[in-house]
Amino acid sequence: GENVEQHPSTLSVQEGDSAVIKCTYSDSASNYFPWYKQELGKGPQLIIDIRSNVGEKKDQRIAVTLNKTAKHFSLHITETQPEDSAVYFCAAMGRSNYKLTFGKGTLLTVNP
Amino acid sequence: EPEVTQTPSHQVTQMGQEVILRCVPISNHLYFYWYRQILGQKVEFLVSFYNNEISEKSEIFDDQFSVERPDGSNFTLKIRSTKLEDSAMYFCASGKRAQETQYFGPGTRLLVL
């Protein structure tokens, strides 16, 4: 089955800096890659997603890139703010139409 | 903005007891999911449900687990005889279509003693 690895597990940046979180996946048939943000005491909230027919997608300060050949995708957050502090999860949907396979999460801390 | 809701937020139970976790998916969604997250581990898929039947389940989802949509709004996960290792955060999610965005609820933290 699909396996998703996520790095780093923790990331600390200064306010205004950029943050990059990387994920790799194992199933070349995977075609949908969402990123979720989880704040303390809340469920995962979708922040951006990308499909395998697209190499990059941007939404204001957040962007996701996908390299199908290398089977990795990355989340880029620019001009980080303290409210960006949270746990970020990548996920992949492979041959299944339903099952998301998650990475282990990255705890991002943005220091004011 | 519509949200997935879950009750209770926390549940403590004794080993061997039955628990029912409840979810109200977003109203026009047709696909429903349960995931769980054991402390410090990945979020894991348990089951997906569409058109009143299970469409996919993981190896975790054994005979102790069942899901039901008892009415037009609720979606439940039942654990028949809880074990210590069932202690986890359980997330419900819903989506409009397969292979598209899944919206997660806030979770139910289950502690089995």
Side-chain angles (χ1 to χ4, degrees), chain B residues 23-79:
Chain B
C23 168
V24 179
I26 295 172
S27 63
N28 61 347
H29 286 184
L30 301 176
Y31 293 82
F32 313 112
Y33 311 88
W34 285 101
Y35 289 79
R36 78 172 186 190
Q37 185 178 31
I38 294 171
L39 193 63
Q41 297 187 23
K42 294 184 178 185
V43 176
E44 302 172 289
F45 171 83
L46 292 178
V47 67
S48 60
F49 191 84
Y50 169 71
N51 201 25
N52 277 322
E53 60 183 26
I54 290 173
S55 43
E56 186 173 351
K57 61 182 181 178
S58 72
E59 60 275 9
I60 302 167
F61 194 89
D62 61 21
D63 292 343
Q64 294 298 314
F65 292 88
S66 62
V67 289
E68 194 179 30
R69 188 152 161 84
D71 53 43
S73 59
N74 289 285
F75 179 51
T76 62
L77 174 69
K78 183 192 290 186
I79 309 175

Side-chain angles (χ1 to χ4, degrees), chain A residues 24-61:
Chain A
T24 59
Y25 60 98
S26 61
D27 187 350
S28 56
S30 290
N31 53 22
Y32 174 63
F33 307 92
W35 284 89
Y36 287 88
K37 175 183 180 183
Q38 186 177 26
E39 296 172 325
L40 202 61
K42 297 185 179 180
Q45 299 293 307
L46 180 79
I47 54 171
I48 196 166
D49 56 12
I50 193 167
R51 296 198 174 273
S52 59
N53 59 347
V54 175
E56 184 174 356
K57 184 176 177 181
K58 195 171 180 180
D59 182 5
Q60 299 182 344
R61 296 186 296 110

Side-chain angles (χ1 to χ4, degrees), chain A residues 4-109:
Chain A
V4 176
E5 297 293 334
Q6 183 171 348
H7 301 279
S9 55
T10 61
L11 179 59
S12 182
V13 299
Q14 288 299 121
E15 184 176 358
D17 287 351
S18 294
V20 181
I21 303 170
K22 299 183 179 183
C23 288
T24 59
Y25 60 98
S26 61
D27 187 350
S28 56
S30 290
N31 53 22
Y32 174 63
F33 307 92
W35 284 89
Y36 287 88
K37 175 183 180 183
Q38 186 177 26
E39 296 172 325
L40 202 61
K42 297 185 179 180
Q45 299 293 307
L46 180 79
I47 54 171
I48 196 166
D49 56 12
I50 193 167
R51 296 198 174 273
S52 59
N53 59 347
V54 175
E56 184 174 356
K57 184 176 177 181
K58 195 171 180 180
D59 182 5
Q60 299 182 344
R61 296 186 296 110
I62 295 173
V64 56
T65 58
L66 171 65
N67 183 326
K68 283 173 57 180
T69 306
K71 289 189 281 189
H72 66 69
F73 57 114
S74 301
L75 177 72
H76 305 254
I77 306 174
T78 58
E79 300 170 30
T80 52
Q81 300 164 4
E83 50 265 39
D84 293 330
S85 297
V87 178
Y88 290 81
F89 293 97
C90 63
M93 185 175 287
R95 298 172 192 275
S96 158
N97 288 327
Y98 313 104
K99 172 184 173 182
L100 285 173
T101 300
F102 281 81
K104 206 167 178 181
T106 296
L107 174 62
L108 173 65
T109 303

